[in-house]
Amino acid sequence: MKEFLNIKKEVLSKLESDLPSSLKYHDMSHIMDVYDVCNQYIDRLKLPEQEACELRIGALMHDIGFTQGNSNHEEVGAKMAEEILRKHNVGQHCIESVQGLILATKIPQSPTNELQKILCDADLDYLGRDDYPEISSKLFEELKISNVIQTEEEWKNIQVRFLKAHQFHTDFAKKNREPKKQYWLRMIENS
């Protein structure tokens, strides 16, 4: 898609200027991590150009709704995606695909197609990586700032519940991320 670079530039500019500084987890480093993980899936699966483009746009925009606030950020982000993509003369099919990608990342995740499964797994890829402690501590800080939680004990309970309920969707993540996620769950439970 020839407009991709212009869309990417606009979205990154909006995110950099409008994401609240109180977001310690849902920040540019998270968005770029998800984008990079999606690119790894694109290469590994040799996705066709159109699908790759939709996935990249979905990755860049999956948390854009946070620029308008925390509540229903996926729905807000899906509306924002439509406005931005229409401005760049993107076709309706692509707009609907990107909106579906954004909405699929809402917790609990509910992907209904392969691209959505990839983005959902990319969004939570860190759950099964070595950098889980550092990244989860950023989420803890963000939740404390927003008064969602107050104590380490609350955070521990949330993590245990979340890790137990969470399921990866792609074969890659099931094989390469699930074992480490189970390791982190055991570590938290035994701490």
Side-chain angles (χ1 to χ4, degrees), residues 35 44 49 51 103 107 117 119-120 125 142 174:
Y35 182 77
R44 207 170 20 252
E49 186 179 343
E51 288 182 15
L103 293 170
I107 304 294
K117 289 176 183 179
L119 182 57
C120 285
D125 190 65
E142 180 175 307
K174 287 175 186 172

Side-chain angles (χ1 to χ4, degrees), residues 83-188:
E83 291 168 17
I84 292 168
L85 295 175
R86 281 205 192 289
K87 188 168 74 177
H88 289 275
N89 299 313
V90 171
Q92 186 62 28
H93 172 80
C94 180
I95 291 171
E96 288 174 8
S97 175
V98 169
Q99 288 182 306
L101 287 163
I102 294 167
L103 293 170
T105 64
K106 187 177 181 98
I107 304 294
Q109 294 177 330
S110 56
T112 58
N113 63 41
E114 282 307 305
L115 290 184
Q116 291 177 12
K117 289 176 183 179
I118 292 168
L119 182 57
C120 285
D121 283 358
D123 191 20
L124 296 173
D125 190 65
Y126 80 97
L127 296 178
R129 295 191 323 224
D130 291 340
D131 57 355
Y132 173 81
E134 300 91 83
I135 294 176
S136 68
S137 69
K138 290 169 68 175
L139 182 56
F140 173 56
E141 190 179 342
E142 180 175 307
L143 295 174
K144 271 180 43 178
I145 290 169
S146 59
N147 291 315
V148 174
I149 58 174
Q150 276 74 46
T151 68
E152 297 264 352
E153 190 63 27
E154 283 178 280
W155 175 235
K156 178 181 172 179
N157 293 334
I158 286 171
Q159 286 186 97
V160 168
R161 280 196 311 274
F162 186 78
L163 290 171
K164 283 183 174 178
H166 172 265
Q167 292 184 345
F168 285 113
H169 306 283
T170 63
D171 290 340
F172 174 84
K174 287 175 186 172
K175 179 181 178 202
N176 297 286
R177 297 295 182 255
E178 185 65 28
K180 192 72 170 191
K181 184 186 85 176
Q182 292 303 319
Y183 167 81
W184 292 125
L185 175 58
R186 287 190 303 277
M187 294 291 286
I188 295 163

Side-chain angles (χ1 to χ4, degrees), residues 1-44:
M1 177 193 301
K2 62 181 190 256
E3 274 297 299
F4 174 73
L5 291 178
N6 292 331
I7 293 166
K8 180 180 179 183
K9 187 175 170 186
E10 179 178 340
V11 169
L12 290 177
S13 175
K14 176 151 193 64
L15 290 165
E16 285 171 359
S17 65
D18 295 353
L19 278 175
S21 60
S22 61
L23 297 178
K24 305 300 180 190
Y25 168 81
H26 292 99
D27 60 3
M28 287 303 293
S29 64
H30 166 69
I31 290 161
M32 294 316 296
D33 180 59
V34 173
Y35 182 77
D36 291 343
V37 173
C38 283
N39 277 324
Q40 294 166 23
Y41 275 94
I42 288 165
D43 292 344
R44 207 170 20 252

